[in-house]
Amino acid sequence: MKRTQLFLIFCVWLPMSVMGRSGNASSVSSSKPSALNIGALFTLNSVIGRSAKPAILAAIDDVNSDSSVLPEIKLNVILRDTNCSGFLGTMEALQLMEEDVVAAIGPQSSGIAHVISHVVNELHVPLLSFAATDPTLAALQYPYFVRTTQSDYFQMYAIADLVEYYGWREVVAIFVDDDYGRGGISVLGDALAKKRAKISYKAAFTPHAPKSAINDLLVGVNLMESRVYVVHVNPDSGLTVFSVAKSLGMMSGGYVWIATDWLPSLLDSSATSDPDTMSLLQGVIALRHHTPDGDLKKSLMSRLNNLKNKDIANFNSYALYAYDSVWLAAHALDAYLKEGGNISFSNDPTLHDSNGSTLRLASLRTFDGGQQFLQTILSMNFTGVSGQMQFDRDKNLVHPAYDVLNIGGTGFRKIGYWSNYSHLSIISPEILYTRPPNTSTASQHVYSVIWPGETAAIPRGWVFPNNGKPLRIGVPNRVSYKQFVAKDNGPPGVRGFCIDVFEAAINLLPYPVPRSYMLYGDGKRNPVYNNLVDAVAADKFDAAVGDMTIVTNRTKIVDFTQPYMESGLVVVAPVKEKKSSPWAFLKPFNALMWCVTGAFFLLVGAVVWILEHRINHEFRGPPSQQLITIFWFSFSTMFFSHRENTVSTLGRMVLIIWLFVVLIINSSYTASLTSILTVQQLTSRIEGIDTLMSSSEPIGIQDGSFAWNYLIDELNIAESRLVILKNLEEYSSALRKGPRGGGVAAIVDELPYVELFLSSTNCEFRTVGPEFTKSGWGFAFQRDSPLAVDLSTAILQLSENGDLQKIHNKWLTHNECSMQINQVDSTQLSLQSFWGLFLISGVTCSIALIVFSFRVLCQYRRFSPEAEEGDVGEIEPAEPSRTIKNPSLKKLIDFVDRKEDEIKEILRRKSSDSKHQASHSSDGQPHSPS
């Protein structure tokens, strides 16, 4: 800001003979002007200027020939050449303001636009720029700056989407170090950050830098890891970058070049493709402003191409925006005048000469209706040759979109589109605008690309730097469990399971990885692994390879690969053999299972007795004998040794279902009891981590393990209870001594270490309880290292092809001590495993009882009580039937207790007597009253 102000002051102090216009009137006003002036301020002899000039002149002619816009008013344009100079551009702007222009078209340079914006702010003249794309020009400090092209803000987000689409994580930004370059690259950094990517290096060079300076810059860039380059420079000198890159061999396979819209603007301005130029650009991806095809666009391009004595052969997208800028000013002026606006200019009291100055600042006058005219411009909405001319609340054109181009051969092909509406797509934005917006990752698509080196394979986007520095790999110098990683006298200086896994994964990568192993630790005790991870984050190592557990606090500062070994914390404790119990036969079932089984034996026996009692003489007799029969029959079915026969259909149905249930229960009991009596049972007073947490006894921890912090921070175990153990001998000694002998009650360590320890002690100790954490071992790399991703893929490949298991068998073959203690409870059978069988048996019994009860009640209703008055042995003829009222419970029980044959005989006799009485009634004999 200070530089701009000093620059402006310096400009206005120069001799300004052209400002000799007289006139001290405070105001010049015209309600119906016959002519209006607009200015055009840009570099005429430039790629953009040579396209914009004929487009602006054509627009002036079209406006003046259109009677529907500004009728009876001639629109004049005053051209000023900025000559790519901020100083000259400011001078030309000041001279242009003397011409009482109501609007200014341009400039094309973002740097000059920053300076001129201060001038138009003071004089209230809208500045319509068709080529200044610096996003910072949208700041509130430039209210009279109106961008009639797309801001680089959207272009940089399009590049970020491309980077994400191809899976790259780092890019190098090559840009011109001015307002245009810095503003765009700043937005690119923000856009990449949202995609979890970044600019790894900003390679800036001065405007009009010599080829030697660009060469030195690219030599340094080529020594870096990233191979994705974003080139954001001026079209007049941008090809120098690719020329130097070609000479350095940076346009070959493995490189990615993404150019902003300057490159298509340059190529579109050429009538024919220069073979030498195109050879520099093979495989480059570029973005070009998307302008929809239409009749207006085709008509204009045809007119421009047919102009005589034209300076250039073709026109780029900036010519379209310049043409629409003139029409925007014309439409706004027409609307402004129709709304009653006046074209008047007033002297600015702050602009006056003092102390004898001859600068004649008073000749610069303010456009009185500038604020109203600005609002009219921002409210315009019409379709131009470049598309819809309408502004959003941030003064950006609506529907920003770009064509994604791939340069190859003698031209370029369109591989897709980018729009702020749906991002990357192979469908035209105009079609997408008619659909709901969709920015999901799955919807992003572009056609295939031919990359530098004429390859269709997507470049990896990074390589190891060409500066000869190998990868610095930190390796823990262990003193215990050296099967995992340890120092070695031969190359590469380390050995072990972890080293072999890392080497095997490196060998699967499609590129060489120079590496150097560096031991971490003094060799007298295991290093603290948290410190090793901190060293990687502090750039002391590029990576750390070893038996490192992936835990939360470590993943916050480094990136880990896919786990190559599962791990988790377990508890190791001394165990002793559990003595056999005289009540071991009760262990197969738990208490509830025993109770329910016994209850069902009695229930089924009682149900069968009820169903068989009336028809089966084996289920009759004195009450004591019948009770014994029920118990005997119930429990004899357990061994399928019941001697009583069942004759009723319902009884047989109940018994068949019950015998099936008994068969399943017997088989399960036998299997469980066999397991309990044949498998050795071990016991320990420590049952797992919960027992340790509730006690106050000492706990052993491996030296350098993350378990120290985990037990203290996560489980709130007192630090004074933790005992550091350095090797396997100390493990065994501490467990044998126990807490009373100066040892430990148990050891908490990771499962891979514990398996080796148990194997070395002939399974003298055991793990108690389950793993209480789940994690894995991985290799640590610095944040955002692409090698971590590639190695993760290689580790998965090792796992799938079986090589990972082979390496495991080579280093970690040991005796299995997988027997867990306190397994008795877990082998007990519960009601949960058999409730379905009991439910089926219970339902069967219920159905049988319901059917039996229904039959008995039906018989009881037909049964006549008078039949009971005779001798039971001699069945007396039944008296005439009569209604049974309020039968007692005793009569019902006595009825149920009678034999089925006896009841049937009584009912048969009763039926015969009823028929006999019916025959007497038909003969006319009187009947006794009922």
Side-chain angles (χ1 to χ4, degrees):
M1 183 64 181
K2 289 182 179 179
R3 187 184 65 179
T4 302
Q5 292 174 346
L6 291 174
F7 181 72
L8 185 57
I9 293 173
F10 176 75
C11 292
V12 298
W13 272 91
L14 289 176
M16 300 174 65
S17 59
V18 294
M19 294 185 178
R21 174 190 299 184
S22 61
N24 297 323
S26 62
S27 174
V28 176
S29 177
S30 176
S31 59
K32 295 182 179 180
S34 60
L36 292 174
N37 295 334
I38 63 171
L41 193 68
F42 53 91
T43 302
L44 300 181
N45 187 24
S46 65
V47 171
I48 296 176
R50 288 191 293 269
S51 292
K53 179 181 176 181
I56 291 175
L57 296 177
I60 294 294
D61 291 340
D62 291 346
V63 169
N64 290 329
S65 61
D66 190 339
S67 60
S68 64
V69 180
L70 296 176
E72 300 180 357
I73 297 177
K74 182 180 180 181
L75 191 64
N76 299 320
V77 61
I78 303 173
L79 295 176
R80 289 289 186 267
D81 190 356
T82 60
N83 289 308
C84 290
S85 170
F87 174 77
L88 296 178
T90 304
M91 292 291 298
E92 294 293 338
L94 292 173
Q95 295 180 24
L96 185 62
M97 294 300 109
E98 289 188 333
E99 303 293 338
D100 290 339
V101 295
V102 293
I105 309 298
Q108 71 188 60
S109 168
S110 297
I112 298 176
H114 276 279
V115 178
I116 298 178
S117 292
H118 294 284
V119 177
V120 297
N121 286 351
E122 186 69 24
L123 302 179
H124 298 178
V125 176
L127 183 65
L128 311 182
S129 178
F130 59 88
T133 57
D134 178 13
T136 62
L137 286 169
L140 296 177
Q141 73 175 119
Y142 306 122
Y144 283 87
F145 176 84
V146 180
R147 195 194 321 268
T148 57
T149 185
Q150 302 296 347
S151 170
D152 280 339
Y153 174 90
F154 303 105
Q155 182 170 210
M156 296 308 167
Y157 271 84
I159 293 176
D161 281 341
L162 281 171
V163 171
E164 181 188 36
Y165 179 79
Y166 290 110
W168 302 315
R169 286 290 173 263
E170 295 183 1
V171 304
V172 172
I174 302 173
F175 62 100
V176 59
D177 193 10
D178 59 8
D179 293 322
Y180 159 74
R182 287 190 300 270
I185 296 304
S186 176
V187 174
L188 177 62
D190 296 339
L192 290 174
K194 295 181 179 180
K195 308 294 184 182
R196 299 190 64 185
K198 67 177 183 179
I199 298 176
S200 60
Y201 182 71
K202 295 181 179 180
F205 59 89
T206 61
H208 311 293
K211 190 173 183 179
S212 59
I214 297 178
N215 183 83
D216 295 339
L217 182 71
L218 293 186
V219 168
V221 165
N222 199 33
L223 294 177
M224 300 177 182
E225 290 184 359
S226 179
R227 285 294 182 264
V228 181
Y229 305 129
V230 176
V231 184
H232 186 52
V233 296
N234 295 317
D236 295 276
S237 58
L239 288 180
T240 305
V241 174
F242 289 101
S243 176
V244 174
K246 179 77 171 180
S247 63
L248 295 176
M250 298 174 65
M251 300 301 296
S252 56
Y255 289 86
V256 177
W257 291 88
I258 302 176
T260 54
D261 60 1
W262 68 268
L263 183 56
S265 298
L266 175 64
L267 298 179
D268 288 341
S269 301
S270 302
T272 57
S273 300
D274 183 5
D276 294 335
T277 299
M278 299 307 296
S279 67
L280 302 175
L281 304 173
Q282 298 298 300
V284 174
I285 294 179
L287 297 180
R288 178 177 61 188
H289 296 116
H290 175 73
T291 55
D293 294 329
D295 295 337
L296 291 176
K297 178 180 175 181
K298 294 178 180 178
S299 175
L300 175 64
M301 298 306 293
S302 176
R303 288 174 53 201
L304 294 179
N305 289 328
N306 291 329
L307 289 176
K308 295 182 179 180
N309 301 320
K310 60 181 187 285
D311 297 327
I312 60 173
N314 282 320
F315 298 86
N316 52 42
S317 60
Y318 288 107
L320 304 179
Y321 288 117
Y323 181 88
D324 283 344
S325 298
V326 175
W327 271 101
L328 174 64
H331 282 297
L333 283 170
D334 186 60
Y336 171 74
L337 294 175
K338 289 179 180 178
E339 293 172 357
N342 293 323
I343 305 300
S344 61
F345 297 85
S346 300
N347 290 332
D348 188 344
T350 62
L351 297 177
H352 62 275
D353 299 313
S354 59
N355 298 326
S357 173
T358 60
L359 295 177
R360 306 185 63 84
L361 295 178
S363 61
L364 297 176
R365 289 175 293 182
T366 302
F367 181 19
D368 295 330
Q371 179 62 35
Q372 180 183 351
F373 181 47
L374 174 64
Q375 298 305 318
T376 304
I377 291 175
L378 296 178
S379 64
M380 286 292 99
N381 183 6
F382 67 95
T383 301
V385 294
S386 63
Q388 187 176 359
M389 294 296 292
Q390 182 183 2
F391 298 94
D392 59 18
R393 70 176 76 182
D394 297 322
K395 298 197 302 182
N396 292 316
L397 288 178
V398 297
H399 301 321
Y402 291 87
D403 298 333
V404 185
L405 309 176
N406 181 209
I407 301 176
T410 59
F412 46 77
R413 62 188 183 95
K414 189 181 300 181
I415 61 173
Y417 304 91
W418 182 93
S419 67
N420 195 41
Y421 189 75
S422 294
H423 295 192
L424 293 175
S425 175
I426 57 177
I427 302 174
S428 172
E430 288 71 39
I431 299 177
L432 295 176
Y433 295 149
T434 63
R435 305 175 182 177
N438 185 2
T439 58
S440 64
T441 303
S443 67
Q444 307 295 293
H445 296 290
V446 294
Y447 292 115
S448 60
V449 176
I450 303 300
W451 303 97
E454 297 184 357
T455 175
I458 299 175
R460 193 169 59 252
W462 71 279
V463 295
F464 282 95
N466 297 328
N467 53 15
K469 292 176 60 178
L471 200 68
R472 300 166 300 168
I473 302 176
V475 178
N477 190 8
R478 296 192 59 91
V479 297
S480 62
Y481 296 113
K482 293 187 176 182
Q483 296 94 327
F484 295 107
V485 62
K487 179 181 178 181
D488 190 26
N489 294 328
V494 288
R495 60 181 176 84
F497 167 74
C498 302
I499 302 300
D500 281 7
V501 172
F502 182 75
E503 287 289 332
I506 287 291
N507 292 334
L508 290 177
L509 299 181
Y511 51 87
V513 180
R515 53 199 177 275
S516 174
Y517 294 101
M518 306 168 66
L519 291 172
Y520 181 81
D522 56 10
K524 298 179 180 179
R525 57 182 298 181
N526 292 334
V528 179
Y529 280 40
N530 282 342
N531 295 342
L532 176 56
V533 174
D534 291 339
V536 174
D539 198 28
K540 295 180 181 179
F541 299 110
D542 297 312
V545 172
D547 46 342
M548 286 174 299
T549 306
I550 305 173
V551 294
T552 302
N553 65 323
R554 295 175 182 175
T555 58
K556 293 179 180 179
I557 58 176
V558 297
D559 285 345
F560 279 93
T561 62
Q562 172 80 14
Y564 61 88
M565 178 174 242
E566 294 184 356
S567 180
L569 291 178
V570 294
V571 178
V572 182
V575 295
K576 58 182 179 180
E577 185 176 352
K578 187 176 180 68
K579 295 182 179 179
S580 179
S581 170
W583 303 102
F585 68 91
L586 295 175
K587 293 180 180 178
F589 293 159
N590 59 17
L592 180 60
M593 181 65 183
W594 279 118
C595 293
V596 173
T597 303
F600 261 83
F601 271 112
L602 295 176
L603 173 64
V604 172
V607 170
V608 172
W609 177 83
I610 292 173
L611 299 176
E612 296 288 325
H613 176 69
R614 302 182 71 195
I615 60 177
N616 193 339
H617 70 277
E618 294 184 1
F619 287 87
R620 300 187 65 84
S624 59
Q625 181 180 349
Q626 295 184 47
L627 186 63
I628 292 174
T629 299
I630 292 175
F631 277 93
W632 165 255
F633 182 83
S634 298
F635 291 101
S636 62
T637 57
M638 179 186 300
F639 311 102
F640 306 98
S641 60
H642 50 284
R643 64 188 181 188
E644 293 80 7
N645 294 321
T646 53
V647 296
S648 68
T649 303
L650 294 177
R652 289 176 178 177
M653 180 182 69
V654 171
L655 186 61
I656 288 175
I657 298 298
W658 175 243
L659 291 179
F660 175 74
V661 175
V662 171
L663 175 64
I664 300 300
I665 293 176
N666 277 345
S667 301
S668 303
Y669 175 86
T670 303
S672 180
L673 182 61
T674 301
S675 174
I676 291 174
L677 296 179
T678 57
V679 176
Q680 181 186 17
Q681 298 295 329
L682 304 175
T683 184
S684 171
R685 61 186 182 84
I686 305 295
E687 298 180 357
I689 189 62
D690 293 334
T691 306
L692 290 179
M693 292 174 61
S694 60
S695 69
S696 59
E697 295 177 329
I699 304 172
I701 299 293
Q702 182 186 168
D703 190 14
S705 172
F706 82 97
W708 175 280
N709 291 334
Y710 181 83
L711 295 182
I712 295 175
D713 299 336
E714 302 296 333
L715 303 184
N716 297 319
I717 294 178
E719 184 176 346
S720 58
R721 293 179 55 193
L722 303 184
V723 179
I724 298 295
L725 303 176
K726 298 181 179 179
N727 50 50
L728 274 66
E729 291 74 17
E730 292 187 5
Y731 272 41
S732 301
S733 176
L735 287 175
R736 291 190 183 102
K737 290 179 181 179
R740 296 183 180 179
V744 297
I747 292 175
V748 175
D749 206 349
E750 295 181 72
L751 186 59
Y753 303 123
V754 169
E755 290 178 344
L756 286 179
F757 168 68
L758 296 180
S759 179
S760 65
T761 57
N762 294 321
C763 303
E764 180 182 354
F765 310 102
R766 292 290 189 278
T767 59
V768 291
E771 294 181 57
F772 56 92
T773 66
K774 288 290 185 181
S775 58
W777 289 355
F779 305 128
F781 289 86
Q782 294 183 11
R783 294 303 297 267
D784 301 323
S785 171
L787 191 59
V789 178
D790 289 355
L791 273 182
S792 294
T793 304
I795 290 172
L796 290 176
Q797 187 175 346
L798 288 175
S799 177
E800 292 171 357
N801 62 22
D803 290 344
L804 190 60
Q805 185 61 42
K806 293 178 182 178
I807 299 173
H808 182 279
N809 296 338
K810 171 186 174 182
W811 288 98
L812 306 179
T813 301
H814 49 73
N815 297 326
E816 293 290 340
C817 295
S818 59
M819 185 187 306
Q820 296 286 329
I821 71 168
N822 297 331
Q823 295 293 318
V824 176
D825 293 338
S826 62
T827 59
Q828 283 188 331
L829 300 175
S830 64
L831 180 62
Q832 184 177 3
S833 303
F834 299 95
W835 70 267
L837 291 173
F838 287 124
L839 177 63
I840 294 174
S841 179
V843 170
T844 304
C845 292
S846 301
I847 293 174
L849 287 176
I850 291 173
V851 174
F852 174 78
S853 300
F854 180 76
R855 289 176 52 194
V856 169
L857 290 176
C858 290
Q859 290 179 347
Y860 186 69
R861 288 177 62 86
R862 296 168 54 197
F863 182 69
S864 176
E866 284 77 1
E868 302 183 42
E869 296 177 1
D871 191 305
V872 173
E874 298 178 22
I875 305 299
E876 295 291 334
E879 294 182 1
S881 177
R882 66 183 181 182
T883 304
I884 301 175
K885 298 181 179 180
N886 300 322
S888 65
L889 180 64
K890 182 176 182 303
K891 291 181 180 180
L892 178 62
I893 294 176
D894 291 342
F895 174 78
V896 174
D897 189 54
R898 288 189 176 187
K899 291 184 177 181
E900 181 79 11
D901 294 340
E902 179 182 342
I903 298 300
K904 289 182 178 180
E905 180 62 24
I906 293 174
L907 295 178
R908 185 184 62 79
R909 297 282 302 257
K910 178 180 176 182
S911 176
S912 177
D913 290 345
S914 298
K915 293 179 180 180
H916 181 70
Q917 291 180 3
S919 63
H920 280 288
S921 298
S922 63
D923 293 339
Q925 295 181 356
H927 296 276
S928 59
S930 57

PDB file of all heavy atoms in Angstrom, residues 251-262:
ATOM      1  N   MET A 251      10.752 -32.318 -19.305  1.00  0.00           N
ATOM      2  CA  MET A 251       9.518 -32.556 -20.044  1.00  0.00           C
ATOM      3  C   MET A 251       9.387 -34.021 -20.441  1.00  0.00           C
ATOM      4  O   MET A 251       8.699 -34.366 -21.400  1.00  0.00           O
ATOM      5  CB  MET A 251       9.453 -31.670 -21.290  1.00  0.00           C
ATOM      6  CG  MET A 251       9.483 -30.175 -21.009  1.00  0.00           C
ATOM      7  SD  MET A 251       8.109 -29.633 -19.964  1.00  0.00           S
ATOM      8  CE  MET A 251       6.712 -29.991 -21.006  1.00  0.00           C
ATOM      9  N   SER A 252      10.021 -34.894 -19.669  1.00  0.00           N
ATOM     10  CA  SER A 252      10.013 -36.328 -19.968  1.00  0.00           C
ATOM     11  C   SER A 252       9.039 -37.034 -19.030  1.00  0.00           C
ATOM     12  O   SER A 252       8.294 -36.407 -18.269  1.00  0.00           O
ATOM     13  CB  SER A 252      11.429 -36.890 -19.820  1.00  0.00           C
ATOM     14  OG  SER A 252      11.942 -36.614 -18.516  1.00  0.00           O
ATOM     15  N   GLY A 253       9.050 -38.368 -19.071  1.00  0.00           N
ATOM     16  CA  GLY A 253       8.130 -39.156 -18.264  1.00  0.00           C
ATOM     17  C   GLY A 253       8.323 -38.938 -16.775  1.00  0.00           C
ATOM     18  O   GLY A 253       9.441 -38.750 -16.283  1.00  0.00           O
ATOM     19  N   GLY A 254       7.241 -38.973 -16.038  1.00  0.00           N
ATOM     20  CA  GLY A 254       7.280 -38.784 -14.596  1.00  0.00           C
ATOM     21  C   GLY A 254       7.001 -37.364 -14.152  1.00  0.00           C
ATOM     22  O   GLY A 254       6.735 -37.124 -12.974  1.00  0.00           O
ATOM     23  N   TYR A 255       7.062 -36.407 -15.086  1.00  0.00           N
ATOM     24  CA  TYR A 255       6.810 -35.001 -14.758  1.00  0.00           C
ATOM     25  C   TYR A 255       5.359 -34.655 -15.079  1.00  0.00           C
ATOM     26  O   TYR A 255       4.748 -35.218 -15.991  1.00  0.00           O
ATOM     27  CB  TYR A 255       7.740 -34.084 -15.536  1.00  0.00           C
ATOM     28  CG  TYR A 255       9.189 -34.142 -15.092  1.00  0.00           C
ATOM     29  CD1 TYR A 255      10.059 -35.094 -15.612  1.00  0.00           C
ATOM     30  CD2 TYR A 255       9.684 -33.236 -14.165  1.00  0.00           C
ATOM     31  CE1 TYR A 255      11.394 -35.151 -15.214  1.00  0.00           C
ATOM     32  CE2 TYR A 255      11.010 -33.270 -13.761  1.00  0.00           C
ATOM     33  CZ  TYR A 255      11.860 -34.227 -14.290  1.00  0.00           C
ATOM     34  OH  TYR A 255      13.172 -34.277 -13.888  1.00  0.00           O
ATOM     35  N   VAL A 256       4.821 -33.698 -14.310  1.00  0.00           N
ATOM     36  CA  VAL A 256       3.470 -33.191 -14.534  1.00  0.00           C
ATOM     37  C   VAL A 256       3.551 -31.670 -14.622  1.00  0.00           C
ATOM     38  O   VAL A 256       4.092 -31.021 -13.719  1.00  0.00           O
ATOM     39  CB  VAL A 256       2.511 -33.603 -13.401  1.00  0.00           C
ATOM     40  CG1 VAL A 256       1.135 -33.000 -13.631  1.00  0.00           C
ATOM     41  CG2 VAL A 256       2.422 -35.116 -13.294  1.00  0.00           C
ATOM     42  N   TRP A 257       3.012 -31.117 -15.709  1.00  0.00           N
ATOM     43  CA  TRP A 257       3.002 -29.661 -15.891  1.00  0.00           C
ATOM     44  C   TRP A 257       1.560 -29.208 -16.061  1.00  0.00           C
ATOM     45  O   TRP A 257       0.837 -29.686 -16.934  1.00  0.00           O
ATOM     46  CB  TRP A 257       3.818 -29.262 -17.129  1.00  0.00           C
ATOM     47  CG  TRP A 257       5.300 -29.496 -16.955  1.00  0.00           C
ATOM     48  CD1 TRP A 257       5.976 -30.645 -17.224  1.00  0.00           C
ATOM     49  CD2 TRP A 257       6.261 -28.558 -16.471  1.00  0.00           C
ATOM     50  NE1 TRP A 257       7.317 -30.484 -16.938  1.00  0.00           N
ATOM     51  CE2 TRP A 257       7.525 -29.205 -16.478  1.00  0.00           C
ATOM     52  CE3 TRP A 257       6.191 -27.237 -16.043  1.00  0.00           C
ATOM     53  CZ2 TRP A 257       8.686 -28.573 -16.073  1.00  0.00           C
ATOM     54  CZ3 TRP A 257       7.355 -26.603 -15.637  1.00  0.00           C
ATOM     55  CH2 TRP A 257       8.590 -27.263 -15.649  1.00  0.00           C
ATOM     56  N   ILE A 258       1.153 -28.279 -15.200  1.00  0.00           N
ATOM     57  CA  ILE A 258      -0.193 -27.695 -15.267  1.00  0.00           C
ATOM     58  C   ILE A 258      -0.030 -26.197 -15.468  1.00  0.00           C
ATOM     59  O   ILE A 258       0.582 -25.515 -14.638  1.00  0.00           O
ATOM     60  CB  ILE A 258      -0.999 -27.976 -13.990  1.00  0.00           C
ATOM     61  CG1 ILE A 258      -1.111 -29.489 -13.741  1.00  0.00           C
ATOM     62  CG2 ILE A 258      -2.392 -27.355 -14.082  1.00  0.00           C
ATOM     63  CD1 ILE A 258      -1.804 -29.832 -12.444  1.00  0.00           C
ATOM     64  N   ALA A 259      -0.546 -25.684 -16.581  1.00  0.00           N
ATOM     65  CA  ALA A 259      -0.449 -24.253 -16.898  1.00  0.00           C
ATOM     66  C   ALA A 259      -1.805 -23.600 -16.709  1.00  0.00           C
ATOM     67  O   ALA A 259      -2.853 -24.209 -17.005  1.00  0.00           O
ATOM     68  CB  ALA A 259       0.046 -24.054 -18.322  1.00  0.00           C
ATOM     69  N   THR A 260      -1.784 -22.378 -16.224  1.00  0.00           N
ATOM     70  CA  THR A 260      -3.032 -21.627 -16.081  1.00  0.00           C
ATOM     71  C   THR A 260      -3.455 -21.078 -17.441  1.00  0.00           C
ATOM     72  O   THR A 260      -2.861 -21.411 -18.474  1.00  0.00           O
ATOM     73  CB  THR A 260      -2.860 -20.516 -15.040  1.00  0.00           C
ATOM     74  OG1 THR A 260      -1.730 -19.708 -15.383  1.00  0.00           O
ATOM     75  CG2 THR A 260      -2.632 -21.113 -13.649  1.00  0.00           C
ATOM     76  N   ASP A 261      -4.471 -20.201 -17.446  1.00  0.00           N
ATOM     77  CA  ASP A 261      -5.083 -19.801 -18.717  1.00  0.00           C
ATOM     78  C   ASP A 261      -4.178 -18.965 -19.617  1.00  0.00           C
ATOM     79  O   ASP A 261      -4.539 -18.676 -20.756  1.00  0.00           O
ATOM     80  CB  ASP A 261      -6.380 -19.038 -18.452  1.00  0.00           C
ATOM     81  CG  ASP A 261      -6.142 -17.788 -17.621  1.00  0.00           C
ATOM     82  OD1 ASP A 261      -4.990 -17.501 -17.263  1.00  0.00           O
ATOM     83  OD2 ASP A 261      -7.124 -17.093 -17.319  1.00  0.00           O
ATOM     84  N   TRP A 262      -2.995 -18.576 -19.144  1.00  0.00           N
ATOM     85  CA  TRP A 262      -2.101 -17.799 -20.009  1.00  0.00           C
ATOM     86  C   TRP A 262      -1.661 -18.595 -21.229  1.00  0.00           C
ATOM     87  O   TRP A 262      -1.481 -18.024 -22.319  1.00  0.00           O
ATOM     88  CB  TRP A 262      -0.867 -17.339 -19.217  1.00  0.00           C
ATOM     89  CG  TRP A 262       0.042 -18.464 -18.811  1.00  0.00           C
ATOM     90  CD1 TRP A 262       0.017 -19.155 -17.654  1.00  0.00           C
ATOM     91  CD2 TRP A 262       1.106 -19.016 -19.597  1.00  0.00           C
ATOM     92  NE1 TRP A 262       0.994 -20.121 -17.635  1.00  0.00           N
ATOM     93  CE2 TRP A 262       1.680 -20.049 -18.823  1.00  0.00           C
ATOM     94  CE3 TRP A 262       1.635 -18.751 -20.865  1.00  0.00           C
ATOM     95  CZ2 TRP A 262       2.756 -20.812 -19.269  1.00  0.00           C
ATOM     96  CZ3 TRP A 262       2.703 -19.516 -21.317  1.00  0.00           C
ATOM     97  CH2 TRP A 262       3.251 -20.532 -20.523  1.00  0.00           C
TER      98      TRP A 262
END
